Amino acid sequence: MNVEFLKQNGVDVEKSLELFGDMQTYNDTIGEFILGASSKLPKLEEYKNGKDMNNYAIYVHSLKSDAKYFGFTKLAELAYNQEMKSKAGDVYYIYNTYDELVAETNRLIHVVKQYLGQEEAEDGTETSEQEKKPTIIANREIYMEPTILVADDSNIVRNFVSRIFSDTYKVGVAKDGKEAIEIIKSNIGNNNIKAILLDLNMPEVDGFAVLEYMKENKLFTEMPVSIISGDSSKETIDKAFTYQIVDMIKKPFNDTDIKRVVEKTIYFKEMN
């Protein structure tokens, strides 16, 4: 794999390593951008055409986060601008800049494929094969071992956390609030969910719906929650802390941030 190839294509690799720590982890994870972006583009098209700016904002926010993780600065900026405009209900702006967002996303999908050796590079040469494919973590509804549950619509975040704790905990995943509630409900009373890392901006059922379910069922001491979110507005923070959460960290974060907040969250459970 040729890191210079990424840099020549506008990728800020050094910035990305603040999250991933080293090139091995970066290389193990970057293929997940293809999966994530390819699944988000049809949703963005659907919500744009339906002028559903609330759901559009959620998906373009997720695309922005993925872009920031991997150092795709131009895409992150385009997605951020679209996120802000969609939240403001500016359909005209979305329609006029949508093609540029899609073009840059598709360009980076091809860049990543070339970097991983899945496509020929533009000069006709092939890059090396990826040595380790991205880990896909399967969902297990009922946990039989101590488990950290990660509820986030980004497969990059879910698998990043899974890698960090692969030697110490099982990591369960939920891609939206609906899945998270189903898993939580299935594990009430078995004492195996040691901590929940919860995103707030998720499609269909968001993180606040999960918090409300836990409040209604008095589950915060049994399954302590910390928030992982790209939304650091005062309104969101204040609303999150009306619930009995342990901590809140902003995306993007690194492995040190995640280890710290998980240790703090598990400690909260042990003290109750």
Side-chain angles (χ1 to χ4, degrees):
M1 296 178 186
N2 184 0
V3 177
E4 290 304 315
F5 173 76
L6 293 178
K7 294 179 179 179
Q8 290 163 11
N9 281 277
V11 180
D12 189 345
V13 178
E14 284 77 14
K15 182 68 176 177
S16 184
L17 291 181
E18 293 177 10
L19 167 68
F20 292 105
D22 55 65
M23 284 306 302
Q24 181 63 55
T25 305
Y26 183 90
N27 291 338
D28 289 348
T29 311
I30 193 171
E32 293 169 16
F33 174 77
I34 301 170
L35 301 174
S38 297
S39 67
K40 290 180 179 71
L41 287 179
K43 287 292 187 180
L44 288 172
E45 180 78 13
E46 175 188 343
Y47 292 129
K48 173 183 73 76
N49 292 341
K51 298 182 181 179
D52 181 349
M53 293 295 99
N54 288 332
N55 277 310
Y56 189 93
I58 290 171
Y59 276 92
V60 82
H61 167 85
S62 181
L63 182 63
K64 176 199 71 177
S65 297
D66 291 354
K68 289 175 72 174
Y69 295 144
F70 291 110
F72 302 154
T73 52
K74 180 180 178 180
L75 179 58
E77 181 179 354
L78 290 171
Y80 172 77
N81 290 337
Q82 286 229 336
E83 180 188 0
M84 293 299 101
K85 293 295 185 178
S86 57
K87 286 181 176 179
D90 192 341
V91 177
Y92 180 80
Y93 179 90
I94 300 303
Y95 271 73
N96 277 286
T97 58
Y98 179 76
D99 287 347
E100 184 181 5
L101 178 79
V102 171
E104 180 63 8
T105 304
N106 284 326
R107 183 186 78 84
L108 287 166
I109 288 173
H110 290 302
V111 166
V112 173
K113 285 182 176 180
Q114 290 166 22
Y115 178 68
L116 296 177
Q118 297 174 7
E119 284 185 351
E120 285 193 356
E122 290 182 359
D123 62 2
T125 61
E126 288 194 15
T127 52
S128 60
E129 288 290 327
Q130 186 184 19
E131 294 179 3
K132 183 178 178 182
K133 299 296 182 184
T135 303
I136 304 301
I137 307 300
N139 221 341
R140 292 180 58 198
E141 248 189 46
I142 300 177
Y143 303 133
M144 308 305 292
E145 302 174 60
T147 302
I148 298 166
L149 174 60
V150 184
D152 197 298
D153 61 319
S154 171
N155 62 309
I156 293 166
V157 171
R158 297 193 302 265
N159 287 327
F160 179 60
V161 175
S162 297
R163 285 190 175 93
I164 292 173
F165 294 101
S166 61
D167 293 333
T168 52
Y169 290 98
K170 294 291 182 181
V171 178
V173 298
K175 67 178 183 295
D176 56 38
K178 180 175 182 292
E179 280 192 7
I181 290 171
E182 289 172 353
I183 293 169
I184 290 166
K185 189 183 300 183
S186 297
N187 287 275
I188 291 174
N190 71 9
N191 202 37
N192 280 326
I193 293 183
K194 301 302 181 184
I196 298 174
L197 297 178
L198 178 67
D199 187 19
L200 295 176
N201 283 314
M202 294 185 288
E204 310 304 334
V205 178
D206 66 14
F208 282 111
V210 178
L211 292 173
E212 192 62 29
Y213 174 82
M214 297 191 70
K215 177 182 177 181
E216 290 172 357
N217 291 276
K218 299 179 174 59
L219 294 172
F220 284 109
T221 54
E222 180 181 343
M223 304 176 188
V225 178
S226 283
I227 302 300
I228 48 174
S229 179
D231 185 350
S232 59
S233 66
K234 184 177 185 301
E235 179 184 2
T236 298
I237 293 171
D238 289 348
K239 183 177 179 181
F241 276 100
T242 62
Y243 297 90
Q244 195 181 354
I245 64 172
V246 178
D247 205 350
M248 184 173 186
I249 57 173
K250 181 184 176 183
K251 298 177 182 178
F253 39 70
N254 57 35
D255 57 348
T256 301
D257 296 330
I258 286 293
K259 287 177 181 176
R260 176 189 60 79
V261 78
V262 166
E263 287 172 1
K264 182 176 180 180
T265 309
I266 291 174
Y267 180 77
F268 177 86
K269 178 178 175 67
E270 292 171 347
M271 291 299 101
N272 286 277

